[in-house]
Amino acid sequence: MMSCAVAVRDLRVERGRRQVLHGVSFEVPRGSVLGLIGPSGCGKTTLMRAVVGVQTVAGGTVTVLGEPAGGPGLRTKVGYSTQSPAVYDDLTVTENLAYFAAVLGAPKTDVARVVAEVGLEDAAGQTARTLSGGQKSRASLAVALLGAPELLVLDEPTVGLDPVLRNELWGLFHRLAAGRGVTLMVSSHVMDEASRCDRLLLMREGEILADDSPGTLRDRTGAADLEAAFLRLIADREAVSDR
Amino acid sequence: MSSAQITLATAKRILTQLRHDHRTVALMVLVPTLVMILLYYVIGDQGSFDAWTPVLLCVFPFLVMFLVTSIATLRERTTGTLERLMASPLGKLDLLLGYGLAFGLMAVVQVALVLSVSLTWLGFGLGAPLWPLVVVALCNALLGTALGLLCSAFARTEFQAVQFMPVVMIPQLLLGGILVPRDQMAPVLEWISNVLPMSYAIEAMKLAAAAGAEGDFWRDVAVVAGSAVLALVLGAATLRRRTP
Ligand SMILES: Nc1ncnc2c1ncn2[C@@H]1O[C@H](COP(=O)(O)OP(=O)(O)OP(=O)(O)O)[C@@H](O)[C@H]1O
Ligand SMILES: [Mg+2]
């Protein structure tokens, strides 16, 4: 299915002898922005790692851009930004980006482009160790934007950022999706970000509770906002499992 | 991007990291030389010093490279940059060879300094050509790099990584024929000594210092270089694209 950027079927993952994903299935259409929402520890990072192909899986299939996740053909097509910033502390932002650009075979001009995209021009010459928390996580995000990825998997890319910067980054995400047809999977804890996604995957304890557009979710639950909608969905599920 | 270009980019990145860390560079380059100078004044007798010099030329490049590499790669694992690289087109061997190349270059500088100081100031009486010594010292430094890479796979923290140093070093030093000649050891110990690469490195270094590339020299060098390659390949096998 080439219309589908990511297709996950019955994905099961065990971490530390405990099953943390219990048969998850969903699809992400190309060029859309999928939000991944759910309580801490519900398995968002695990799911993203499986899509990138760095997570050992116990069962099920994960197909990315028509190939099994993590396949050699995907390594320049999938950009991944981990939850905790993954950059070399003793290199400057520019040196970090130049190295990852070389590994990806991306043009050297990409370095300046991604620095501007995440708004780090003023800190580009600073070693990563000396960056503030938000600057460092933007440096890590910038690495994922190098080259021309067709799928971006971003694990809490806007955590610790102010509303202005968050707004700018979400503008960038939508420009990438609308302009270049990039598919994005973005996890978040912030509800106003969730409302900016085309589709939302609400997870709880390794299962998917809901997979809908933000509007549909609000209508279905009859809640005033997304936060209330999620609380209601989670409460409903708990009532079912208690019975 | 070809594999060779990625390897070179990786070596360049590691050297850039070192350039930002003057203290580590100073430790890598100066410590063996300082120990050599200290030894010279402690021994105070040129004959014994000449006998000890080849041993130190073996031990130090190995030790320093082992430590620096195991900590650097462990850091790569714990900070998430390894996960990032494993999701990229970089091959496992590209990474290991990049480390080997960068730290190998540091080893050249290290050995060059310790040899120049020993041969001039400390009057190390070398009755043979110089290059065989350099060959052994470099092979041994590469062995240290390769074993450091391998051991870092079994450490979870930097504290554990440092603990591997005595585990790897002490048996090799005790059984390497430094304190007791290898043929005077109990048979079991001699057998163990026969499978430890450092024994061959020390033997090759002693041969090189005494007579140059003579006798078993090339066999010994081949064993050390072969062990380094084996450790690199095993190290590559411990790098996993997927982790639990
Ligand atoms: N390396 C690991 N070994 C064992 N268990 C793990 C490991 N990593 C994560 N887990 C467990 O797997 C579950 C899912 O973790 P995951 O990191 O996917 O959660 P998350 O939804 O991303 O949470 P958060 O919002 O806090 O980032 C958690 O219960 C966690 O404790
Ligand atoms: Mg997470």
Side-chain angles (χ1 to χ4, degrees):
Chain A
M1 274 310 152
M2 284 316 277
S3 61
C4 218
V6 180
V8 175
R9 297 248 174 293
D10 198 28
L11 175 66
R12 276 165 294 119
V13 173
E14 277 161 22
R15 297 189 89 167
R17 296 211 204 106
R18 211 162 54 81
Q19 197 170 63
V20 299
L21 293 183
H22 320 284
V24 169
S25 301
F26 67 96
E27 285 180 354
V28 191
R30 274 186 189 246
S32 66
V33 181
L34 176 80
L36 212 56
I37 315 282
S40 174
C42 71
K44 300 181 295 294
T45 299
T46 309
L47 180 59
M48 296 185 127
R49 279 169 45 86
V51 169
V52 173
V54 294
Q55 173 68 51
T56 325
V57 302
T61 59
V62 183
T63 312
V64 176
L65 306 167
E67 257 191 78
L74 292 174
R75 296 198 186 126
T76 53
K77 293 188 198 159
V78 178
Y80 174 40
S81 164
T82 47
Q83 183 165 2
S84 46
V87 288
Y88 296 100
D89 266 345
D90 36 12
L91 292 184
T92 66
V93 175
T94 310
E95 285 164 349
N96 265 293
L97 291 167
Y99 172 58
F100 286 109
V103 169
L104 290 166
K108 287 205 173 76
T109 51
D110 262 20
V111 173
R113 173 181 61 88
V114 296
V115 164
E117 278 174 347
V118 299
L120 269 184
E121 291 97 333
D122 291 340
Q126 255 173 274
T127 47
R129 180 176 292 120
T130 67
L131 296 174
S132 74
Q135 287 174 330
K136 195 164 162 186
S137 73
R138 278 184 285 154
S140 187
L141 170 64
V143 176
L145 301 173
L146 288 166
E150 292 172 41
L151 172 68
L152 279 174
V153 180
L154 309 178
D155 201 350
E156 306 200 15
T158 59
V159 72
L161 299 185
D162 59 280
V164 177
L165 212 49
R166 256 197 340 247
N167 188 46
E168 277 174 19
L169 284 179
W170 275 90
L172 170 69
F173 298 161
H174 280 287
R175 278 201 306 283
L176 289 170
R180 284 200 246 148
V182 178
T183 312
L184 289 99
M185 261 180 95
V186 185
S187 67
S188 174
H189 283 286
V190 185
M191 284 306 147
D192 68 80
E193 291 187 346
S195 65
R196 298 190 65 169
C197 296
D198 299 322
R199 275 219 354 265
L200 287 176
L201 219 55
L202 172 62
M203 294 180 67
R204 185 181 156 271
E205 292 179 6
E207 283 169 8
I208 293 178
L209 280 194
D211 176 2
D212 263 314
S213 71
T216 317
L217 277 175
R218 271 188 299 257
D219 295 346
R220 216 178 78 198
T221 51
D225 56 30
L226 274 177
E227 185 137 354
F230 285 158
L231 291 174
R232 187 155 307 167
L233 279 167
I234 288 176
D236 287 353
R237 171 58 69 100
E238 264 160 15
V240 171
S241 51
D242 282 350
R243 229 180 278 148
Chain B
M1 223 351 102
S2 78
S3 198
Q5 280 169 304
I6 294 182
T7 304
L8 285 179
T10 305
K12 189 178 151 210
R13 182 263 295 173
I14 295 161
L15 289 173
T16 313
Q17 283 179 288
L18 282 176
R19 201 158 45 80
H20 285 287
D21 186 358
H22 302 291
R23 246 179 249 188
T24 300
V25 174
L27 285 174
M28 281 172 91
V29 173
L30 294 181
V31 164
T33 304
L34 292 177
V35 171
M36 201 64 104
I37 295 169
L38 184 67
L39 183 80
Y40 176 80
Y41 287 106
V42 168
I43 291 181
D45 149 32
Q46 194 74 45
S48 314
F49 175 71
D50 285 356
W52 271 98
T53 305
V55 173
L56 283 196
L57 277 175
C58 256
V59 173
F60 267 96
F62 179 92
L63 197 74
V64 174
M65 292 303 151
F66 179 86
L67 261 185
V68 173
T69 318
S70 54
I71 290 181
T73 42
L74 186 78
R75 232 177 242 177
E76 188 116 48
R77 283 175 208 270
T78 50
T79 56
T81 48
L82 185 67
E83 177 166 310
R84 182 154 242 164
L85 290 174
M86 288 293 103
S88 83
L90 168 131
K92 297 170 189 172
L93 222 47
D94 297 343
L95 182 68
L96 297 188
L97 291 178
Y99 269 101
L101 212 62
F103 287 144
L105 211 66
M106 292 305 296
V108 172
V109 178
Q110 188 190 52
V111 168
L113 183 69
V114 76
L115 268 178
S116 346
V117 170
S118 303
L119 287 168
T120 54
W121 176 12
L122 307 181
F124 172 43
L126 181 63
L130 181 61
W131 64 266
L133 260 78
V134 178
V135 169
V136 183
L138 283 183
C139 282
N140 216 23
L142 274 180
L143 177 68
T145 296
L147 281 177
L149 284 167
L150 182 59
C151 286
S152 77
F154 301 101
R156 289 281 162 274
T157 61
E158 287 180 24
F159 192 56
Q160 288 176 4
V162 175
Q163 303 294 318
F164 269 109
M165 191 190 71
V167 173
V168 171
M169 283 309 292
I170 291 179
Q172 301 216 73
L173 291 184
L174 289 180
L175 299 173
I178 300 177
L179 303 175
V180 182
R182 278 161 19 89
D183 49 18
Q184 289 171 25
M185 290 175 190
V188 182
L189 294 183
E190 192 184 348
W191 190 85
I192 298 175
S193 164
N194 284 342
V195 296
L196 294 177
M198 185 65 91
S199 313
Y200 297 87
I202 291 171
E203 188 175 280
M205 194 59 99
K206 283 181 172 164
L207 284 172
E214 301 288 331
D216 285 339
F217 178 80
W218 285 114
R219 186 207 63 181
D220 292 341
V221 168
V223 171
V224 177
S227 308
V229 172
L230 184 69
L232 266 186
V233 172
L234 287 177
T238 64
L239 288 178
R240 294 254 175 268
R241 288 214 186 256
R242 285 180 187 270
T243 49

